[in-house]
Amino acid sequence: MHLGRYDSCGIYQIECSFCLLFLFVEILERVWEISFLFVMLFCFCLDLLFQQYPGVSQLSSSLGGLSLQSSPQPESLRPVNLTQERNILPTAPVWAPVPNLNLDLKKLNCSPDSFRCTLTNIPQTQALLNKAKLPLGLLLHPFRDLTQLPVITSNTIVRCRSCRTYINPFVSFIDQRRWKCNLCYRVNDVPEEFMYNPLTRSYGEPHKRPEVQNSTVEFIASSDYMLRPPQPAVYLFVLDVSHNAVEAGYLTILCQSLLENLDKLPGDSRTRIGFVTFDSTIHFYNLQEGLSQPQMLIVSDIDDVFLPTPDSLLVNLYESKELIRDLLNALPNMFTNTRETHSALGPALQAAFKLMSPTGGRVSVFQTQLPSLGAGLLQSREDPNQRSSTKVVQHLGPATDFYKKLALDCSGQQTAVDLFLLSSQYSDLASLACMSKYSAGCIYYYPSFHCIHNPSQAEKLQKDLKRYLTRKIGFEAVMRIRCTKGLSMHTFHGNFFVRSTDLLSLANINPDAGFAVQLSIEESLTDTSLVCFQTALLYTSSKGERRIRVHTLCLPVVSSLADVYAGVDVQAAICLLANMAVDRSVSSSLSDARDALVNAVVDSLSAYGSTISNFQHSALIAPNSLKLFPLYVLALLKQKAFRTGTSTRLDDRVYAMCQIKSQPLVHLMKMIHPNLYRIDRLTDEGAIHVNDRVVPQPPLQKLSAEKLTREGAFLMDCGSVFYIWIGKGCENNFIEDVLGCPNFASIPQKMTHLPELDTLSSERTRSFITWLRDSRPLSPVLHVVKDESPAKTEFFQHLIEDRTEAAFSYYEFLLHIQQQICK
């Protein structure tokens, strides 16, 4: 094609402007083709580099936006009009959002079951975080039961020389001999031993070692990680044997559980065990090998407690097993005729501290009433007339610092105190709970406990004890959380003692313990595209091994407000806010905590609204990622810990707060927002197969009476309790096939078990309930609730979308939020 001609000077002249334009377009096309080839070549080279050094894949996140087409708006940012879209609850469970990382990093990242952040896109600056009005923090479940866990035995545990971060999948290998820390960016040498890969038995591939291929690993630690030789497993049981305790009948259940599980207690040949009982005096038991029967030793001076025979009260489990069995068989009947009503719990705990101090271990305390004698005695602080108060809720904090001080002393001697409170009346759990909170212990609460009159609580104790006595346990533990330079931690939640700014002291650690930590952005993260968090749990196993369990989480950094909202993990955010609200309730007031929860919704939705063009104040708009936020906050406001205007016993409220502070997210969410299913029409459509068992998967229903029908049957999963509500018009076929009763009228008022019947409906229902039960450590109690029976009140209190005398319905709550935003 000829677009012009050469002039007399040999210069080529374009003959028309159109031709000039045509030439310009042709040149652009050639440049674009060449540029495209360069981009493809660059990507090919990067791909080769990733294959050789996976750590270098950090670079790819900053290139994640490179695309020849503009990417569509993510589903998480789709605006949702909350007042119009009434049925926002998904029919399937809500899963944790997946961080926006490249495929390689997604595969390597830590499981959300162990490590979760409230924001999966980390704001570049604190100013951006403040603008989003969202909480930033981590939810941890560091010692959970795992079916697959890489265990690494090595003479050299590779760590950063500067910040002591453990090597992990998100470090960068500069070459085979050097690696760059992903938290502080220090360049470290690769030790010679690390060059050898024990899995592939090859040399020179440090990037293929299991430490670099797995974000959760466990190291067998060397003597460098020990301040003393690993302690044995030591268990001490401190038992209330006052008249109140004997009447409740818990001793029979406890002793029977111990007899059944004595050989299953975690430990080795060094395991030791002991028993202390108390009423107005303290009773020790000499179980030294060689005695013909256990010897009871009574100390009546509770003002100056001493150990009568220090060397024979904690004995080797295997050497003294027959004497231990004799004591457990005798204990339930030893105090049958007691008239002793007093409880010297404080002095008994002082004795336990003296007994455990040389070794450390676990103290299990069983208490049935207010301590009434000696150190730590308590007075009743509850006014039953104030249980329904809509104003001030008092006495959420301890009445004395005795139990906190004792817990801190125990923690210093590597001893944790677990509390089992089996009370029929107010026992001041706010004070007693301190013995467990500050020693890294657990709290179990059985209100109105009686082995005969309250069989469901007795069954729960029995099942809880089986789990408690046999589950994995770690001793003399510490946990440190590290994060990328620029981020900092400022508040921890859980049961522990804070030893330093990022180190938690955990005398015991168990698989059911959860933790949370609040974060802030101290320095701008503009120089990095990724941030990482690492938790390292150093503990002694029950077999006497020193081990380190390490979890590492990687998340992208973003610079736009929209991206921050796109990455909200709404369940993690609500669990962190719940922890913060408990602290606010105790340090300030319950009303302040409730206001703070409401303001969290108002502020975040108002901030989001300011990012939307043509924002209309007549509509309440949320990004899809936050659409469940108001619903979950309303559920929190109606939870026992924070509700007002509904009769709530003080111990019940305090226990709910204790659970919020110590439960892992997956269990806490069921406590905050239960799951409701219709179960009278279960089918195999969409069912899953688990261990040769077909498990139906009914859709979730919203928590409202409008979803209940009197012709149906519904299961509500509240975490620690299952309710099966039977409508008055429920088909007799279902009632007979599943409950084993001929009709509605014949269903017993207190039914706590489903019979094993040879019918398809029975198999499906029991299979579904068993599947739900298997997903949690502690077995829930089951209550069958008939429509119009008095027991239905508790069931209906969990229908959080409905209005009550003291609280908004969900729709009213949305209007209230909208009104606050428009102010």
Side-chain angles (χ1 to χ4, degrees):
M1 180 183 290
H2 298 287
L3 302 178
R5 59 185 175 81
Y6 289 96
D7 63 10
S8 58
C9 297
I11 298 173
Y12 193 73
Q13 298 284 343
I14 305 294
E15 289 188 340
C16 68
S17 58
F18 175 78
C19 295
L20 179 65
L21 179 63
F22 190 90
L23 180 64
F24 182 68
V25 169
E26 194 171 67
I27 291 170
L28 277 181
E29 285 179 349
R30 297 290 183 270
V31 170
W32 172 248
E33 287 173 1
I34 294 169
S35 301
F36 182 76
L37 287 171
F38 270 116
V39 170
M40 294 301 291
L41 181 62
F42 177 67
C43 291
F44 177 71
C45 293
L46 268 183
D47 188 50
L48 287 177
L49 190 60
F50 292 159
Q51 290 177 27
Q52 188 170 4
Y53 298 110
V56 182
S57 59
Q58 284 186 3
L59 296 170
S60 64
S61 66
S62 57
L63 300 168
L66 186 65
S67 173
L68 301 182
Q69 297 178 344
S70 59
S71 56
Q73 185 186 52
E75 173 63 15
S76 57
L77 280 180
R78 178 176 62 82
V80 178
N81 188 332
L82 296 176
T83 50
Q84 287 184 3
E85 292 193 33
R86 300 292 302 281
N87 296 316
I88 60 163
L89 189 71
T91 56
V94 178
W95 300 108
V98 179
N100 186 25
L101 300 166
N102 70 52
L103 193 58
D104 289 335
L105 293 183
K106 280 181 184 175
K107 288 178 182 175
L108 292 169
N109 221 356
C110 191
S111 164
D113 293 332
S114 299
F115 214 155
R116 213 154 149 177
C117 186
T118 57
L119 302 177
T120 60
N121 291 332
I122 302 298
Q124 239 177 29
T125 62
Q126 184 66 37
L128 184 59
L129 177 62
N130 293 343
K131 204 171 177 182
K133 303 289 185 183
L134 292 167
L136 177 59
L138 303 170
L139 283 298
L140 309 172
H141 191 180
F143 202 57
R144 73 185 183 96
D145 291 321
L146 294 170
T147 52
Q148 287 187 317
L149 175 65
V151 178
I152 297 163
T153 305
S154 175
N155 293 328
T156 306
I157 296 176
V158 180
R159 301 175 67 179
C160 175
R161 284 184 296 166
S162 179
C163 69
R164 306 301 293 154
T165 293
Y166 293 82
I167 198 166
N168 60 79
F170 310 108
V171 304
S172 303
F173 281 93
I174 296 170
D175 52 42
Q176 284 189 338
R177 294 289 180 178
R178 292 178 301 161
W179 63 278
K180 189 177 184 180
C181 176
N182 53 318
L183 266 64
C184 74
Y185 312 121
R186 165 93 180 236
V187 175
N188 298 272
D189 294 331
V190 176
E192 186 65 33
E193 185 186 345
F194 202 76
M195 297 295 289
Y196 177 73
N197 186 350
L199 294 182
T200 60
R201 296 185 178 180
S202 59
Y203 184 84
E205 296 179 327
H207 56 278
K208 291 185 178 180
R209 293 258 316 189
E211 299 96 315
V212 188
Q213 293 295 321
N214 297 278
S215 56
T216 292
V217 295
E218 188 152 285
F219 297 97
I220 306 294
S222 64
S223 58
D224 297 341
Y225 293 83
M226 303 176 196
L227 293 174
R228 61 175 184 174
Q231 70 167 75
V234 182
Y235 305 109
L236 177 65
F237 295 87
V238 179
L239 312 176
D240 178 0
V241 291
S242 63
H243 175 76
N244 201 54
V246 173
E247 175 63 25
Y250 85 88
L251 271 173
T252 303
I253 297 171
L254 171 62
C255 292
Q256 187 59 40
S257 293
L258 273 167
L259 284 166
E260 290 172 2
N261 295 292
L262 210 53
D263 293 330
K264 299 175 188 174
L265 288 175
D268 56 16
S269 60
R270 304 177 302 153
T271 301
R272 296 165 72 186
I273 193 169
F275 297 87
V276 172
T277 57
F278 66 95
D279 40 36
S280 63
T281 58
I282 303 171
H283 325 124
F284 298 91
Y285 296 88
N286 183 351
L287 300 167
Q288 195 68 40
E289 183 189 16
L291 292 174
S292 59
Q293 62 182 30
Q295 286 182 349
M296 180 194 280
L297 306 166
I298 300 174
V299 173
S300 54
D301 185 359
I302 59 172
D303 295 323
D304 185 17
V305 179
F306 65 94
L307 303 180
T309 56
D311 298 330
S312 59
L313 303 178
L314 280 173
V315 296
N316 184 285
L317 172 60
Y318 299 99
E319 292 172 1
S320 300
K321 187 173 287 184
E322 289 310 310
L323 283 172
I324 294 165
R325 290 187 183 279
D326 290 346
L327 178 63
L328 291 173
N329 281 314
L331 262 179
N333 301 315
M334 283 172 63
F335 302 93
T336 305
N337 299 318
T338 184
R339 294 186 178 180
E340 187 58 73
T341 58
H342 283 296
S343 168
L345 173 63
L349 287 172
Q350 290 174 327
F353 170 69
K354 289 185 177 183
L355 200 50
M356 297 292 280
S357 287
T359 54
R362 184 178 75 189
V363 177
S364 306
V365 178
F366 289 75
Q367 175 72 4
T368 65
Q369 60 180 325
L370 269 173
S372 56
L373 283 180
L377 70 88
L378 298 168
Q379 307 290 333
S380 179
R381 297 188 291 163
E382 183 183 41
D383 180 357
N385 297 321
Q386 295 295 311
R387 287 178 180 170
S388 300
S389 172
T390 57
K391 298 177 183 177
V392 179
V393 177
Q394 295 180 312
H395 309 309
L396 294 173
T400 172
D401 62 359
F402 170 82
Y403 294 98
K404 179 178 179 179
K405 283 183 175 178
L406 182 117
L408 294 177
D409 288 342
C410 285
S411 178
Q413 298 300 318
Q414 303 296 348
T415 301
V417 183
D418 296 339
L419 172 65
F420 287 76
L421 184 59
L422 311 109
S423 59
S424 56
Q425 55 198 5
Y426 173 72
S427 299
D428 198 354
L429 183 57
S431 297
L432 298 181
C434 292
M435 72 174 83
S436 302
K437 280 184 187 178
Y438 298 101
S439 68
C442 313
I443 301 163
Y444 297 85
Y445 175 54
Y446 305 86
S448 306
F449 181 87
H450 196 282
C451 66
I452 296 171
H453 303 317
N454 195 342
S456 63
Q457 286 283 28
E459 182 190 359
K460 179 166 174 54
L461 174 63
Q462 185 180 19
K463 290 181 176 179
D464 288 356
L465 282 171
K466 182 178 180 181
R467 166 71 179 174
Y468 175 76
L469 295 172
T470 60
R471 72 185 177 189
K472 187 175 179 178
I473 185 172
F475 297 101
E476 48 187 354
V478 289
M479 183 167 71
R480 178 167 262 129
I481 305 169
R482 297 178 173 88
C483 50
T484 293
K485 185 180 177 184
L487 294 168
S488 68
M489 291 157 283
H490 60 85
T491 307
F492 295 93
H493 302 277
N495 292 352
F496 49 74
F497 169 61
V498 183
R499 193 179 291 180
S500 64
T501 52
D502 62 348
L503 186 69
L504 307 183
S505 177
L506 305 164
N508 289 179
I509 182 68
N510 71 78
D512 306 329
F515 304 88
V517 57
Q518 292 168 238
L519 300 169
S520 59
I521 304 169
E522 289 196 334
E523 299 173 23
S524 172
L525 301 171
T526 48
D527 294 336
T528 182
S529 60
L530 296 173
V531 294
C532 290
F533 306 93
Q534 187 178 84
T535 177
L537 176 69
L538 172 65
Y539 71 97
T540 298
S541 76
S542 58
K543 303 290 187 187
E545 281 185 322
R546 202 75 173 133
R547 290 182 167 225
I548 312 161
R549 187 173 296 190
V550 178
H551 305 279
T552 312
L553 174 69
C554 178
L555 296 173
V557 175
V558 296
S559 57
S560 77
L561 199 55
D563 286 338
V564 176
Y565 286 118
V568 178
D569 184 336
V570 68
Q571 291 192 338
I574 203 70
C575 289
L576 183 65
L577 284 172
N579 276 278
M580 294 162 65
V582 170
D583 285 357
R584 179 73 72 92
S585 300
V586 177
S587 64
S588 181
S589 69
L590 189 67
S591 60
D592 273 4
R594 289 173 56 85
D595 289 345
L597 287 170
V598 175
N599 289 337
V601 181
V602 172
D603 292 345
S604 59
L605 295 190
S606 178
Y608 171 73
S610 66
T611 68
I612 304 174
S613 56
N614 304 320
F615 177 67
Q616 298 177 348
H617 286 289
S618 59
L620 185 61
I621 307 295
N624 197 46
S625 61
L626 275 177
K627 70 179 181 181
L628 294 174
F629 195 32
L631 178 65
Y632 286 158
V633 167
L634 178 64
L636 259 186
L637 294 171
K638 293 186 175 185
Q639 218 275 334
K640 278 183 182 178
F642 305 113
R643 70 187 184 190
T644 57
T646 303
S647 183
T648 308
R649 297 194 301 181
L650 188 53
D651 280 347
D652 291 359
R653 187 186 298 278
V654 170
Y655 179 62
M657 291 183 172
C658 292
Q659 284 185 299
I660 287 171
K661 294 281 282 184
S662 60
Q663 288 252 20
L665 180 146
V666 64
H667 306 310
L668 182 52
M669 276 311 303
K670 288 188 179 71
M671 181 177 147
I672 294 171
H673 187 278
N675 291 335
L676 182 67
Y677 309 91
R678 184 166 184 174
I679 59 169
D680 61 309
R681 295 179 176 176
L682 294 178
T683 67
D684 290 344
E685 186 178 345
I688 60 174
H689 294 263
V690 181
N691 299 328
D692 299 327
R693 195 174 72 234
V694 178
V695 181
Q697 297 292 292
L700 285 170
Q701 309 285 335
K702 73 176 188 176
L703 294 171
S704 171
E706 74 177 54
K707 287 296 180 183
L708 302 179
T709 169
R710 292 197 165 183
E711 288 73 44
F714 293 80
L715 170 69
M716 184 185 286
D717 177 3
C718 302
S720 60
V721 183
F722 286 159
Y723 295 101
I724 294 181
W725 181 82
I726 308 294
K728 195 171 184 179
C730 186
E731 288 186 10
N732 286 343
N733 284 344
F734 176 83
I735 294 173
E736 189 170 356
D737 289 352
V738 175
L739 303 182
C741 303
N743 51 45
F744 179 83
S746 61
I747 300 173
Q749 287 291 346
K750 291 185 177 181
M751 189 173 185
T752 57
H753 289 91
L754 294 186
E756 290 191 23
L757 302 175
D758 190 18
T759 65
L760 185 58
S761 294
S762 175
E763 286 177 13
R764 283 174 174 163
T765 305
R766 285 184 291 107
S767 177
F768 180 55
I769 291 174
T770 300
W771 176 72
L772 291 175
R773 271 193 168 132
D774 290 346
S775 68
R776 66 208 69 195
L778 299 179
S779 183
V781 175
L782 174 70
H783 295 288
V784 176
V785 179
K786 294 171 66 176
D787 186 17
E788 298 180 352
S789 75
K792 75 172 187 179
T793 306
E794 189 71 23
F795 173 82
F796 275 85
Q797 282 180 350
H798 293 289
L799 298 177
I800 55 100
E801 295 201 30
D802 294 341
R803 192 180 195 284
T804 65
E805 288 182 14
F808 289 130
S809 70
Y810 174 57
Y811 185 69
E812 290 169 336
F813 184 63
L814 293 177
L815 296 180
H816 174 69
I817 296 295
Q818 188 176 351
Q819 186 181 23
Q820 295 298 307
I821 291 174
C822 293
K823 273 187 178 180

